Amino acid sequence: MAPTPAGNRKTRVHVVSDVHGNARDLARAGEGADALICLGDLVLFLDYADHSRGIFPDLFGVENADRIVELRTARRFEEAREFGARLWGGIGADRASVIETAVRKQYAEMFAAFPTPTYATYGNVDMPPLWREYAGPGTTVLDGERVEIGGWTFGFVGGGLRTPMRTPYEIDDEEYAAKIEAVGEVDVLCTHIPPEVPELVYDTVARRFERGSRALLAAIHRTRPRYSLFGHVHQPLVRRMRIGATECVNVGHFAGSGKPWALEW
């Protein structure tokens, strides 16, 4: 990491989201920056580009991973749930412990790769209760909270909203809106999911609209932050657009690109 800003020297932060197991590039993501910001989704359950990678194929094999991706991509979510339930049924009562063991292994690697300082919030596939065990002194975890970096105020809201996918950290709209409200007026609003704007929530490869937040969109209109930064949609129709005074930026699918998005002021 770069040294702490001093005098009139510019501040530079690197921002990543949707890391999904890419620890190798994560270890280099803070190079040349004063801080790293991570917008969540550290865990890799299933790689939709390479079905051999992730917790799911490790447990059930690539052929079954191919099948569940096929069902989900076709939006046959009920069939996907039934298919997954049959597979998990073979594991029995140990399902929770098997998942936790696999997630812990990934978290140990991911958090060890974080540089100092890192400011992070959860994604929808993350398991927040485990983060406090792995976040070292150089990593600050924030959710519905603010922090100052280089004279600017950054607000963080983690997680996703309820979907048929039923990923681990999905919350009700009201709870999400309360966290947005708690953050208040900031220079940079950092979230995992985007504001509810069609161009920002449509995934061109999955060919579906992901869930964005109306509360986040309303906060952008109301509080006019300089930037709204987010991830979640891996291949968005539009990566960047202005909403009033605010520059809205999808910082990219880090698992695929291995490159952080840079902000300097």
Side-chain angles (χ1 to χ4, degrees):
M1 302 294 282
T4 302
N8 294 322
R9 191 176 70 81
K10 286 187 174 182
T11 300
R12 181 183 177 93
V13 298
H14 288 174
V15 190
V16 300
S17 186
D18 301 273
V19 177
H20 294 302
N22 189 352
R24 181 190 62 187
D25 291 321
L26 185 62
R28 300 192 295 264
E31 292 178 358
D34 298 294
L36 179 71
I37 290 175
C38 178
L39 304 181
D41 274 10
L42 300 181
V43 173
L44 179 62
F45 277 100
L46 177 57
D47 188 334
Y48 278 57
D50 180 355
H51 303 170
S52 69
R53 297 181 64 245
I55 294 171
F56 191 94
D58 286 350
L59 292 174
F60 304 118
V62 177
E63 184 175 332
N64 285 324
D66 290 340
R67 178 57 178 162
I68 203 159
V69 168
E70 178 187 0
L71 291 172
R72 288 178 176 175
T73 302
R75 302 185 64 80
R76 293 157 62 184
F77 295 119
E78 191 60 39
E79 290 179 66
R81 278 195 292 272
E82 292 173 359
F83 179 68
R86 290 197 299 271
L87 295 176
W88 285 108
I91 291 179
D94 290 335
R95 172 177 176 170
S97 62
V98 167
I99 293 175
E100 182 173 321
T101 297
V103 170
R104 283 182 177 277
K105 181 180 179 181
Q106 290 190 10
Y107 276 166
E109 189 176 11
M110 295 297 105
F111 278 91
F114 277 146
T116 298
T118 291
Y119 301 92
T121 197
Y122 316 112
N124 61 293
V125 302
D126 285 312
M127 299 176 69
L130 298 182
W131 278 38
R132 64 179 65 95
E133 296 182 37
Y134 293 94
T139 299
T140 303
V141 179
L142 303 119
D143 189 17
E145 299 163 285
R146 302 147 57 107
V147 69
E148 184 178 305
I149 307 173
W152 280 15
T153 303
F154 288 69
F156 291 79
V157 174
L161 298 173
R162 304 285 184 197
T163 73
M165 301 287 281
R166 298 181 183 180
T167 50
Y169 191 44
E170 295 181 354
I171 62 177
D172 294 333
D173 289 56
E174 295 76 15
E175 183 181 350
Y176 194 89
K179 291 195 292 184
I180 292 287
E181 185 69 23
V183 165
E185 294 186 13
V186 295
D187 292 295
V188 184
L189 191 47
C190 300
T191 59
H192 177 67
I193 63 174
E196 181 61 66
V197 176
E199 294 90 340
L200 296 176
V201 300
Y202 185 73
D203 191 305
T204 59
V205 174
R207 292 178 296 173
R208 64 170 179 257
F209 290 96
E210 303 290 354
R211 282 215 65 189
S213 169
R214 293 181 181 178
L216 172 56
L217 179 59
I220 290 170
H221 283 297
R222 184 177 67 254
T223 66
R224 299 165 60 88
R226 300 172 192 262
Y227 288 90
S228 168
L229 306 180
F230 48 87
H232 185 55
V233 182
H234 293 181
Q235 297 90 14
L237 184 63
V238 173
R239 291 197 176 274
R240 188 167 185 156
M241 68 184 300
R242 290 195 72 82
I243 298 177
T246 303
E247 189 74 13
C248 299
V249 183
N250 184 320
V251 301
H253 178 223
F254 187 78
S257 71
K259 297 178 180 179
W261 184 81
L263 175 62
E264 190 172 82
W265 66 97

